[in-house]
Amino acid sequence: MKNIIVTTPEELIGLIDTAVSTRINPLEDLINSKLNPKKENVTVKEAAKRLNVTELTIRNYIKKGVIDASKIGRRIVINLEALENTLKEVKSLKYRR
């Protein structure tokens, strides 16, 4: 059985706006987080802890160009998103001569 609701045009617009905004707001948040990600930087020490390797290994990877890093003063910082992307693109060094 169908229910008939009698409303004014303003109330109908309000109902539609609230229904649409509850569906659209999470999508807008997701799109904004993908387009404008937070740039979180970590130090060499923190990156070594996260990857469970030594600081020297991280520094060597930076020198080789495997990991992108930038210097702020005397401190070397690594963007976490770039580090994760680097880990996804692991290259095989086994057969390299």
Side-chain angles (χ1 to χ4, degrees), residues 21-64:
S21 66
T22 57
R23 299 283 185 156
I24 297 275
N25 286 340
L27 294 174
E28 285 179 346
D29 294 340
L30 178 66
I31 290 170
N32 287 333
S33 68
K34 294 292 182 182
L35 292 177
N36 302 320
K38 292 186 227 175
K39 294 186 178 180
E40 188 175 336
N41 294 328
V42 293
T43 61
V44 173
K45 187 174 185 176
E46 292 169 348
K49 240 185 215 181
R50 285 176 181 260
L51 299 180
N52 201 20
V53 295
T54 63
E55 292 179 39
L56 184 60
T57 303
I58 297 292
R59 291 182 192 280
N60 287 338
Y61 284 160
I62 291 170
K63 283 182 185 176
K64 288 180 184 178

Side-chain angles (χ1 to χ4, degrees), residues 13-25:
I13 290 172
L15 290 172
I16 292 172
D17 284 343
T18 56
V20 170
S21 66
T22 57
R23 299 283 185 156
I24 297 275
N25 286 340

Side-chain angles (χ1 to χ4, degrees), residues 59-97:
R59 291 182 192 280
N60 287 338
Y61 284 160
I62 291 170
K63 283 182 185 176
K64 288 180 184 178
V66 176
I67 297 174
D68 291 330
S70 56
K71 273 186 133 181
I72 298 176
R74 294 180 69 189
R75 178 177 281 169
I76 298 172
V77 293
I78 303 165
N79 188 339
L80 270 181
E81 188 174 338
L83 182 63
E84 290 173 6
N85 290 338
T86 301
L87 292 175
K88 290 178 185 175
E89 300 172 3
V90 175
K91 298 175 184 172
S92 175
L93 300 175
K94 185 175 181 181
Y95 300 107
R96 187 175 176 193
R97 295 180 185 219

Side-chain angles (χ1 to χ4, degrees), residues 7-17:
T7 63
T8 63
E10 293 81 19
E11 289 176 343
L12 181 61
I13 290 172
L15 290 172
I16 292 172
D17 284 343

